Amino acid sequence: MIVTVTPNPSLDRTLRLADLHRGEVNRAEAVRLDPGGKGVNVARALAAAGTPTVALLPAGGPVGERLADLLAPEGVPVVAVPITGSTRSNITLVEADGTTTKINEPGPRISPAELATLEGRAVELAARGEWLVCCGSLPAGVPDDFYARLTKLAREAGAKVAVDSSGAPLAAACAGGPDLLKPNLDELIELAGRPLPLLGDVVAFCRELISGGVGRVLVSLGARGAVLVEETETHHALGPLVAVRSTVGAGDAALAGFLHAGGTGPRALRTAVAYGTAAVTQEGSRMPTPEDVHPEQVHVLEADPTFTLSGAAA
């Protein structure tokens, strides 16, 4: 079983527009409502693939209740920790050419008691699972080292840990030594504190992270695929060119594909890129099903250190 933890889940409303005109009245051509949050998306993709999973999340107010209701038809078991604040709602604007604009609410404040309950449930579930997947931003009231603490506790309970976050929580998580770190290129650049214009620069920094205790690093590179840096091997995978409908959740789908395929090695990388590629062809933040995923169209190569990443959509 793969357990996902999403401290700041959301209800995602996606509006499709022909074009977005600032300062004017814009009329949506279509509207879609999805359960959201990075860990929630990972669990949705895993459930669609038939991988046992459970989504752990705080839930409060009518939006929190609606979130659980939307996950039920997708076959995602939910363990909800009740909170007094209201779960956030996010808005995504998708233009005809695939340009995506997200407006994310900050989310509710989590009390110390609510956080302790969330942490305790995470450890309980980790003891029964193979992976604990810590995903997304942290709402107010949750310290930056939350994922680092969960990493330590989950590993003591016998689970492997993957972390997909950004900013200070991602930096703090590295010190916890997770088995897998899954940033996108922009998040990795922020973590490095320096430009990473070439694939060789990305690989070199990932090697620094591994030397510091991280097990492996999977970096999503947008249209330039993904790179997997492990202790002894590095591989770069490129997917086919596809028409982009929405980029929301593509990295989450890639992480789900990677874990679904074993969580290590070139086969898992190929599956990750296939899932990420399939995700961008979906409406809103809909997660791909196995029928949408085509790993045979993904090419896995030895990483070329001179491969240019400047301008890559992450």
Side-chain angles (χ1 to χ4, degrees):
M1 181 176 69
I2 296 175
V3 181
T4 68
V5 184
T6 311
N8 205 8
S10 63
L11 191 63
D12 286 356
R13 184 179 298 275
T14 302
L15 291 80
R16 178 166 291 278
L17 314 169
D19 294 289
L20 176 62
H21 301 284
R22 292 183 61 197
E24 299 182 19
V25 174
N26 291 268
R27 301 191 183 278
E29 298 176 345
V31 179
R32 181 181 177 91
L33 195 64
D34 290 291
K38 296 181 73 63
V40 169
N41 289 336
V42 172
R44 293 167 66 202
L46 288 170
T51 298
T53 186
V54 61
L56 172 64
L57 49 90
V63 174
E65 293 178 8
R66 182 66 172 141
L67 189 60
D69 291 341
L70 287 172
L71 285 168
E74 298 194 39
V76 179
V78 175
V79 175
V81 173
I83 59 173
T84 56
S86 180
T87 302
R88 63 181 178 156
S89 296
N90 294 335
I91 297 174
T92 301
L93 307 176
V94 181
E95 299 174 64
D97 64 357
T99 300
T100 302
T101 303
K102 291 202 71 178
I103 304 171
N104 290 350
E105 294 183 6
R109 173 171 289 276
I110 306 295
S111 73
E114 292 164 348
L115 183 61
T117 302
L118 182 66
E119 184 176 290
R121 296 308 303 271
V123 175
E124 291 172 11
L125 292 168
R128 294 158 32 202
E130 180 183 4
W131 284 90
L132 182 72
V133 185
C134 304
C135 291
S137 62
L138 300 179
V142 180
D144 290 338
D145 67 349
F146 180 63
Y147 290 149
R149 291 211 320 268
L150 277 188
T151 297
K152 178 179 181 296
L153 294 171
R155 295 186 72 176
E156 289 174 353
K160 292 177 284 188
V161 180
V163 177
D164 183 359
S165 189
S166 60
L170 178 64
C174 293
D179 298 273
L180 171 65
L181 206 67
K182 197 265 153 217
N184 64 29
L185 181 57
D186 286 343
E187 291 161 351
L188 192 73
I189 290 171
E190 182 182 14
L191 183 62
R194 63 179 186 266
L196 302 172
L198 302 176
L199 190 58
D201 299 317
V202 167
V203 171
F205 180 59
C206 290
R207 291 270 174 227
E208 292 179 26
L209 295 174
I210 291 172
S211 295
V214 173
R216 58 185 55 83
V217 188
L218 172 65
V219 186
S220 55
L221 305 171
R224 290 166 173 81
V227 62
L228 173 63
V229 183
E230 299 185 290
E231 187 172 0
T232 60
E233 294 186 345
T234 301
H235 293 91
H236 180 203
L238 290 166
L241 293 176
V242 295
V244 176
R245 290 186 174 180
S246 173
T247 59
V248 178
D252 310 329
L255 176 54
F258 187 77
L259 297 174
H260 172 66
T264 184
R267 175 178 173 270
L269 174 62
R270 184 190 303 275
T271 307
V273 172
Y275 264 80
T277 301
V280 302
T281 68
Q282 310 302 311
E283 294 284 352
S285 59
R286 177 180 177 271
M287 290 292 103
T289 66
E291 292 73 24
D292 302 315
V293 178
H294 300 285
E296 73 280 359
Q297 297 178 1
V298 177
H299 300 285
V300 178
L301 316 162
E302 290 296 322
D304 176 1
T306 66
F307 187 88
T308 301
L309 299 174
S310 298

